[in-house]
Each structure stands twice: as structure tokens, then as C-alpha cells.
Amino acid sequence: MTTIQTVAFDDQKPGTSGLRKKTRVFMQPHYLENFVQAIFNAIGGAKGKTFVVGGDGRFFNDRAVQVILRMAAANGAAKVIAGRGGVLSTPAASNLIRQRKTDGGIILSASHNPGGEDEDFGIKFNMANGGPAPENITDAMFREASVIVSYNIVESQDVDLNAVGETTLGGMAVEIVDSVADYAALMEQLFDFDAIRAMFTSGFTMRFDAMCAVTGPYATEILEKRLGAAPGTVTHGTPLPDFGGMHPDPNPTWAHELMDEMMGPDAPDFGAASDGDGDRNMVVGRGVYVSPSDSLAVLAANAYLAKGYAKGIAGVARSMPTSAAVDRVAKDLGVEAFETPTGWKFFGNLLDAGRVTLCGEESFGTGSDHVREKDGLWAVLLWLNILAKRKESVADILQAHWRKYGRNYYSRHDFEAIETEKANAMVSALRKLLADLPGRSVEGMTIAAADDFAYTDPVDQSTSAKQGVRILFEDGSRIVMRLSGTGTQGATLRLYLEKYAESGFDQDPQEALAPIIRAAHELADITGYTGRVEPDVIT
Ligand code: G1P
Ligand code: ZN
């Protein structure tokens, strides 16, 4: 065991989901080590504890796992459980942390960001409940990282990450586990595999685009092997360190191959994609795209059709920018609905307290109390379970849903890699404007209220301020703006747009939202501040 002297880096501040930087930043001497030591320091040390370690397999994942093993040993951890090859999807890691009753886990991923030596890398800590560390802990990590002077590491040979079974490293137990097995077993408990298998047997067709990322082996095992989907249902199913050059973000822009197939003449019945670390999902029917906010609402309304949720759901939670579609379902079901800041960590307390069963975000994240992360494949399986039980198409289910609840037209516009100063100037100008906005008319619509979203956690009363600017119109339409907390280059402005309709469900969302889009540009002067006229990505 050696103690290495180091110098603090001043930029190790975790964002929406852990610390994300360019891979080369993490590859600098001491950079990863400093942050890992800061994690251990922030959680009161590693002595005697058991952790899960794994990542999405992107470039540098294997090296980082070796470093973490050696540092966990040097910091006195009793045991580390790692996925084979150092790979675990984020939901599978969350599941392992919970199933094995460990003290938490370190997950290596930059989620949906591209991977490779010139792309992105990330690291985050999840607590014993399997969920991302809350803000007081990530703040402590930043404080520790800012004053760090040394870290502990064992000098040793690499552990063979491909040898499933137990070994030791500097007195610490290391267990390498099959990355897929426990997760697949959990899915079998929640969903009616027999009903889904029968649907595939009777000719139901599907495409699952794993985008050369971590979900490939999970999807192949569950969909093709256990549920009998045709071989080849899973495409891009082999995880690659650079995701084969793909941008593993399951949205219509980046999963365009899947979109083209689903909108084409020979589309299968159902399509889905997931992201780099397997926690996001996109769902598409034949000829119809399901927005993540609608997906959450449909899942909440139909969850009872799956055996894991047959008793009904306790409540739902959505991030503030997510559309209110699921709130309408909650009202109908007579259960609580919560509105939280962006980021999965804000769902943890509600899930732990049993106040909510399902939660979701507009950013292609959906999940339930089965783990404490969003879960891409879980959402796909719940959809399959619903399709198997209702025996209707995705398009018909969506139409029926809108007829019952109305439709929340919704879109998000992303303006990426804006110069940070320009983005900050725009947001502070907008914040100054907020108090004067109520009563003002723009694009023929009157503003009812405007604020900067602040949240008080209903379970532990912790507060989070400045979570996004909201401009609410009298007709219930809404504009939300916030800056991304996961990017690694400049600033990304996210503009969220929503409008509720009681009839007329077949409009193109961009057309339905056109006046609201113009209003957002006018109020925030997006072009004036940033020079941008059109968004880079529309979802
Ligand atoms: C983005 C999404 C957010 C999600 C997070 C992690 O964060 O908007 O909903 O929880 O990625 O997947 P952002 O970049 O907006 O801070
Ligand atoms: Zn992800």
C-alpha cells in the first residue's frame, strides 16, 4: 500500500449525474485517483465496506476499474463486486448494489455522450439504496477533491476482470460476476415473460438498437434468448469502447437508423433503443414516435397489466421539465404526483419512502422502484408486457390515451456548445426579467406566472434552488429553460416547450408548438445572446 502525494484539480465538481469530462482529462496523472479518493473521503472512508464497481465499457473503463480496485483495497474496503470485464449497465449496477446489500457503488459512464480517447468519460457514486448520491454528498466530494493532498493505492498486478469468481487484492475480496444474470432474473420477476413470449411466437416483430453500447448483451439475452424474439432483433448489439462511432443517445436524431426503419414500409411492430450505459430508452411504434413524456404517462396508466405492478402504483414523479401528461394519469388513478428538479437523484427519497412507484424524465428516462436508476430495458419490457396484454398497436394505444386524457404536445430544443459566458448572460438576463413577466402578452398568449424552479424534498426537506426558469401561460402552455449539467464542452441550452390540447391529436408537435417556440425566442432573445437561430437537436 502506498500513499501518493497529489495536487488538487479545481474542476472536480459533479454535475447532474456525476463527474463528466473529456476522456483525456481523466487520463491525466492523478485525475481519476484524486476523485476516487474524494469519493471515499466524502462517504466517511471505505474501511470495511463493500462496493459494486462497473461501467458502460467505454474507452478507459477497464483501466479505471483497475485503479478503483487498487484504491478500494488501499483504503481498507472489505470487498468489491465487479461486473465481468468491468462492465455493468447503470440499472444493473443499481440492482447489484441493492441485491447484495452493499455500501454503494462506483459507476463509470458518461451515459449518452460519445466515447473514445477524444470523447467523454464519467464517474459517479451511488449510495447503498442503489441511487445516485444526493447533493450534500456530491458537494462533499467536490470539497474533498478541492483540498486533496494524497491518495492511497495498492501496487499490484491487474485483476483478471474476465474470470468470474472470487479472488483477493491486497487483502480485499474481489468478486467478478456475470453482468447480465441478476438483472435478467429481476426482469423475470416484474414482467409476464410467458405473455410476451406468446406474442413473439405469434409473429410480433421488433427492432432493438443497442447503439454499440452496454445494453447489447442484456437485450440479446432477455429479448432473443428468454423471450423468443427473432435472432437479429437486437442490432448494434456488441458493446464497443467507442460505440462504433455512434452517439449512443436514443433519440430520433441519433437513433436515426431505427427511426428510418420504424417510419418505413417494412417497419416491425415495435422499436426501441437505449443509451451508452443502458438507463435511457426510446420507444417507437410502427410509424409512430412516442415522446418520453407520453411514454411515462402510458406506462403509469397501464402498469397494472404487468405482474410486478398488478397491485397498482403508489404515486408518480416526473422532473419539472417533463410534460404534465403523467399528472393527469395520477389524478385519474387517485395517486400522488411529484414534480422534482432534473436528475434521477431527486427521485431517490420518494422511491425509498414508498411514495412513488414510477418516475420519469423527458430526456428518455423512465424507471420504477425496482432499482434507483432509470432503466432503459425495463421500460421496453413494460411496453412489451402492455402490448402483449392489450393486443393493440402502439399507435392505437397512444390514440386511446390521448382521447381519455388529452394530449400534452411537447418538444425539447437543444442548443449545444454555446460559449459559456454567452449562455450565462442570457440566463441571468432572463432571471432579471421574471418578476415583470406576469400579465405580459406575447404571440397572443398572456403570461400567468414566471419563476426559477425551487424544490423542497418532501421527505427530508432539503432544498434545491435555481433548477430552471419557467414561464407559464394562462392557457396552460409552458416554456422552461435551463442549462445542461452533463455537457463537457461550453454550455448547452435546453428549451422545453409544452401545450395541452383536448382535441386535435394529429398535429406535428413542432407546428402545434410554433407560437410557444417563437415566444421563447422573443422573451429570452436566444439569437441575440447566443447567435443561434435553430437548435442542434430536437426531441
Ligand atoms: C440530462 C437530462 C436529465 C438527465 C441527465 C442524466 O441532464 O436532461 O434529465 O437526468 O441528463 O441522464 P442535463 O444535461 O440536462 O443536465
Ligand atoms: Zn445513461
Side-chain angles (χ1 to χ4, degrees):
M1 202 276 269
T2 56
T3 298
I4 308 279
Q5 303 306 309
T6 187
V7 175
F9 294 87
D10 61 7
D11 66 345
Q12 296 196 321
K13 186 172 171 56
T16 313
S17 184
L19 184 67
R20 297 240 181 117
K21 298 285 172 196
K22 287 289 166 205
T23 311
R24 285 189 196 277
V25 172
F26 272 104
M27 289 167 72
Q28 297 172 76
H30 310 308
Y31 195 89
L32 173 71
E33 290 84 347
N34 278 14
F35 192 70
V36 171
Q37 188 65 52
I39 292 177
F40 291 145
N41 295 350
I43 60 169
K47 202 167 179 45
K49 293 181 179 172
T50 297
F51 300 109
V52 167
V53 173
D56 62 13
R58 68 180 61 221
F59 187 88
F60 195 55
N61 186 97
D62 48 353
R63 296 311 316 150
V65 169
Q66 298 288 356
V67 166
I68 292 165
L69 287 172
R70 300 212 308 271
M71 289 188 63
N75 280 279
K79 180 173 184 174
V80 169
I81 303 168
R84 186 196 306 181
V87 174
L88 283 171
S89 77
T90 293
S94 181
N95 181 45
L96 262 185
I97 292 169
R98 296 165 63 77
Q99 296 283 332
R100 300 295 200 91
K101 303 202 172 0
T102 65
D103 299 288
I106 296 180
I107 301 179
L108 303 162
S109 171
S111 187
H112 50 288
N113 295 8
E117 201 165 359
D118 294 313
E119 298 293 353
D120 292 357
F121 193 78
I123 175 169
K124 68 172 180 173
F125 184 78
N126 280 28
M127 311 295 283
N129 72 347
E135 265 183 346
N136 63 325
I137 304 284
T138 56
D139 288 348
M141 287 173 195
F142 181 48
R143 279 198 304 276
E144 292 288 345
S146 304
V147 297
I148 195 163
V149 293
S150 69
Y151 59 83
N152 303 325
I153 191 159
V154 162
E155 277 180 22
S156 72
Q157 300 286 314
D158 279 357
V159 171
D160 180 358
L161 297 174
N162 287 311
V164 170
E166 292 234 17
T167 169
T168 59
L169 172 73
M172 178 184 81
V174 177
E175 184 184 349
I176 310 292
V177 298
D178 179 322
S179 305
V180 178
D182 289 33
Y183 179 81
L186 175 65
M187 294 300 114
E188 282 208 68
Q189 284 168 29
L190 297 175
F191 302 117
D192 301 289
F193 273 35
D194 288 342
I196 302 173
R197 203 178 297 112
M199 178 171 72
F200 278 118
T201 310
S202 62
F204 181 88
T205 54
M206 173 177 182
R207 175 75 63 227
F208 184 95
D209 191 340
M211 304 190 85
C212 299
V214 78
T215 325
Y218 294 84
T220 307
E221 170 67 25
I222 294 173
L223 298 174
E224 296 186 11
K225 297 214 179 103
R226 300 199 187 191
L227 292 170
T233 294
V234 178
T235 52
H236 299 121
T238 305
L240 298 170
D242 66 347
F243 306 123
M246 291 180 94
H247 187 148
D249 196 358
N251 64 42
T253 302
W254 295 115
H256 51 85
E257 272 182 52
L258 176 72
M259 285 303 282
D260 289 349
E261 185 177 7
M262 296 308 298
M263 299 302 149
D266 303 315
D269 295 301
F270 186 58
S274 62
D275 74 329
D277 61 330
D279 58 358
R280 293 186 175 201
N281 75 92
M282 177 175 77
V283 160
V284 200
R286 176 182 289 146
V288 53
Y289 163 69
V290 185
S291 85
S293 294
D294 278 346
S295 178
L296 175 63
V298 170
L299 294 181
N302 293 279
Y304 70 92
L305 293 169
K307 67 179 177 192
Y309 308 95
K311 292 200 193 93
I313 56 176
V316 295
R318 63 169 170 86
S319 66
M320 179 274 283
T322 304
S323 99
V326 74
D327 300 14
R328 297 173 192 283
V329 175
K331 192 160 180 238
D332 183 46
L333 294 175
V335 299
E336 281 189 293
F338 297 90
E339 187 179 34
T340 60
T342 296
W344 209 261
K345 56 179 176 251
F346 292 103
F347 295 135
N349 280 347
L350 294 167
L351 289 164
D352 285 349
R355 303 272 296 262
V356 305
T357 307
L358 295 199
C359 33
E361 295 190 274
E362 49 63 44
S363 53
F364 300 84
T366 346
S368 87
D369 58 1
H370 69 293
V371 289
R372 292 294 181 274
E373 288 279 2
K374 52 188 178 263
D375 189 343
L377 204 45
W378 168 89
V380 172
L381 289 167
L382 181 49
W383 262 99
L384 284 171
N385 200 142
I386 292 165
L387 291 165
K389 287 288 169 72
R390 285 186 56 160
K391 303 189 195 317
E392 291 166 82
S393 69
V394 173
D396 288 347
I397 289 175
L398 259 189
Q399 285 291 338
H401 187 92
W402 292 333
R403 276 198 303 276
K404 177 165 181 186
Y405 298 100
R407 177 172 181 182
N408 290 69
Y409 279 103
Y410 188 84
S411 185
R412 184 176 103 183
H413 290 193
D414 289 338
F415 302 79
E416 295 177 343
I418 301 171
E419 278 173 53
T420 308
E421 296 79 56
K422 292 183 177 174
N424 287 340
M426 195 204 90
V427 173
S428 35
L430 189 60
R431 285 197 174 117
K432 286 202 193 95
L433 212 68
L434 290 177
D436 295 331
L437 287 183
R440 185 165 150 188
S441 167
V442 51
E443 289 288 327
M445 305 174 301
T446 306
I447 298 172
D451 68 1
D452 203 342
F453 183 60
Y455 180 67
T456 302
D457 186 298
V459 179
D460 68 10
Q461 313 304 320
S462 60
T463 56
S464 306
K466 295 191 168 181
Q467 297 293 321
V469 168
R470 308 190 286 186
I471 300 169
L472 312 169
F473 294 93
E474 277 179 352
D475 69 352
S477 300
R478 188 171 76 133
I479 294 169
V480 174
M481 276 183 247
R482 57 180 283 281
L483 298 182
S484 158
T486 59
T488 56
Q489 217 176 3
T492 292
L493 167 66
R494 303 205 193 284
L495 167 61
Y496 309 83
L497 308 140
E498 180 174 357
K499 178 193 166 133
Y500 180 67
E502 273 173 355
S503 61
F505 303 136
D506 295 318
Q507 267 181 286
D508 172 353
Q510 301 309 316
E511 276 163 30
L513 295 165
I516 300 164
I517 296 170
R518 287 195 296 271
H521 277 265
E522 184 181 326
L523 291 168
D525 190 13
I526 296 174
T527 306
Y529 278 98
T530 69
R532 303 298 177 83
V533 181
E534 297 286 333
D536 299 286
V537 177
I538 295 181
T539 53

